[in-house]
Amino acid sequence: MGTNGKGNGLWTVLAVPIMLWTALPLLWMLSLSLKTAEDLANPDASVLGNFWPKNPTMENYELIFTGGASDLFMPALRNSIIVCVLATLISVVLAMFCAYAIARLEFKGKRMILVTALAVSFFPVVAMVTPLFEVWSKIGLFDTIPGLIIPYLALTLPLSIWTLSAFFQQIPWEMEQAAQVDGASSWQAFRKVIVPLAAPGVFTTAIITFFVAWNDFVFAISLTSENARTVPAALAFFTGASQFEQPTGAIMAAAVVVTIPVVILVLFFQRRIVAGLTSGAVKG
C-alpha cells in the first residue's frame, strides 16, 4: 500500500509540470485573443510579465463572428465542420468493413493491404498536392467540398483501417459464431454483435481521424480558393487594420474557437477513448 502511494505521488509530481507545459501554449493563445492591438504592443497593459491582459476584451471574437473578419471566418468554419464530419464518417464506415475482413477472413494479400495502408499514411502530403491540383482543376473538383473530402480520405482511411483492424482482432470469433448458430445472418451478427463490441475502438478511431482532417492545412490551402476553404487555410488570409498591423488577436481568437470542438470531444468521449486505446493494446 505504501509502495503504491509513493508510486502515485511520484506520477503526480511528474504529471503536474507536464500538464502545465502542455497547457501553457493554449493559455498564451487565449491571452493573446483577449488583447487589443494596442495591448499587444504595450507590456504595461498586461500582468505576469506580458502574459495576461489587465483589461481583457472580446473585440477579437466580435471581429471574427460579426465584424470585418466574419465574411472570411464563418464560411470557413462551416466548411471545416462539413468536410471533417463527412470525411470522418465515410472513413470510419469504410474502414469498419475493411478491418472486419482483414481480422476475420483469410485471403491472399491481407498483410499487403495493411502494409499499404500504413505506407500511404506516411506518404508526404506535399507530394500529392501538385498532381491533385492539376487533376482537380481539369475535372471541376477544385474549390469544392467533395474535392477536399476525397484527399482527406487519403489521410484518414489508412489510419482508420490500421487502427480498427487491431480492435476487431480482439473480439472473440466464438461470439459471432454463437450468434449465427442462433439464427442470425452474417450481416446481423456483424451489426448486433461485432459493432457494439467494437464501439470503443470505433469512437477512438473516429476522433483521431476527425483531428487529422480538422488540423489539415496543406490540402486546404492548395485545393481551395474561397468556396470550400476551411479554417486552417482561412487563417492565412486574415489581415490587420492596415498593411503595417499584424492580425494577431483575430488569428488567436479564431484558433481558440477551432480548438474548442477538439477539447469538447476529448472531454466528452474521454472514457471511450481510454477504453478503446486499452482494448486495442491488450491481447487476449
Side-chain angles (χ1 to χ4, degrees), residues 26-39:
L26 299 177
L27 294 175
W28 178 248
M29 183 172 65
L30 177 62
S31 70
L32 291 177
S33 71
L34 298 175
K35 293 181 179 181
T36 62
E38 293 77 14
D39 291 344

Side-chain angles (χ1 to χ4, degrees), residues 148-187:
L148 205 53
I149 292 176
I150 296 173
Y152 279 5
L153 292 179
L155 298 177
T156 58
L157 189 56
L159 179 64
S160 300
I161 293 173
W162 186 266
T163 306
L164 280 176
S165 61
F167 292 112
F168 280 114
Q169 288 172 0
Q170 310 305 316
I171 300 175
W173 176 242
E174 292 77 12
M175 299 187 68
E176 185 176 3
Q177 289 178 321
Q180 293 176 344
V181 169
D182 290 338
S185 63
S186 298
W187 168 247

Side-chain angles (χ1 to χ4, degrees), residues 61-277:
Y61 293 92
E62 294 174 0
L63 180 66
I64 64 174
F65 281 117
T66 59
S70 61
D71 293 339
L72 182 61
F73 178 74
M74 294 305 293
L77 182 61
R78 182 187 66 248
N79 291 337
S80 286
I81 295 173
I82 294 173
V83 170
C84 295
V85 169
L86 289 178
T88 300
L89 287 176
I90 295 172
S91 176
V92 171
V93 171
L94 293 178
M96 275 199 304
F97 293 112
C98 184
Y100 174 79
I102 292 173
R104 289 288 185 252
L105 305 179
E106 291 295 334
F107 56 91
K108 292 183 178 180
K110 181 170 71 172
R111 185 174 296 275
M112 183 58 64
I113 293 176
L114 285 175
V115 173
T116 304
L118 185 62
V120 170
S121 65
F122 284 108
F123 200 77
V125 175
V126 178
M128 296 186 284
V129 167
T130 301
L132 275 176
F133 177 82
E134 295 293 334
V135 174
W136 266 211
S137 299
K138 292 180 180 178
I139 65 177
L141 284 177
F142 178 78
D143 199 25
T144 63
I145 296 296
L148 205 53
I149 292 176
I150 296 173
Y152 279 5
L153 292 179
L155 298 177
T156 58
L157 189 56
L159 179 64
S160 300
I161 293 173
W162 186 266
T163 306
L164 280 176
S165 61
F167 292 112
F168 280 114
Q169 288 172 0
Q170 310 305 316
I171 300 175
W173 176 242
E174 292 77 12
M175 299 187 68
E176 185 176 3
Q177 289 178 321
Q180 293 176 344
V181 169
D182 290 338
S185 63
S186 298
W187 168 247
Q188 289 175 330
F190 174 79
R191 182 169 55 89
K192 295 182 179 181
V193 177
I194 301 300
V195 172
L197 291 174
V202 173
F203 272 100
T204 303
T205 304
I207 292 172
I208 293 174
T209 54
F210 180 84
F211 290 167
V212 171
W214 186 259
N215 294 325
D216 172 72
F217 175 78
V218 178
F219 281 139
I221 197 70
S222 304
L223 301 179
T224 63
S225 178
E226 294 180 0
N227 297 326
R229 183 181 291 155
T230 58
V231 172
L235 293 181
F237 295 92
F238 274 28
T239 58
S242 68
Q243 60 178 335
F244 304 104
E245 180 180 317
Q246 293 292 333
T248 305
I251 291 176
M252 291 299 104
V256 170
V257 171
V258 298
T259 304
I260 290 175
V262 176
V263 175
I264 291 176
L265 282 174
V266 171
L267 293 178
F268 190 74
F269 295 110
Q270 182 179 10
R271 292 188 177 182
R272 287 189 177 273
I273 294 173
V274 173
L277 292 175

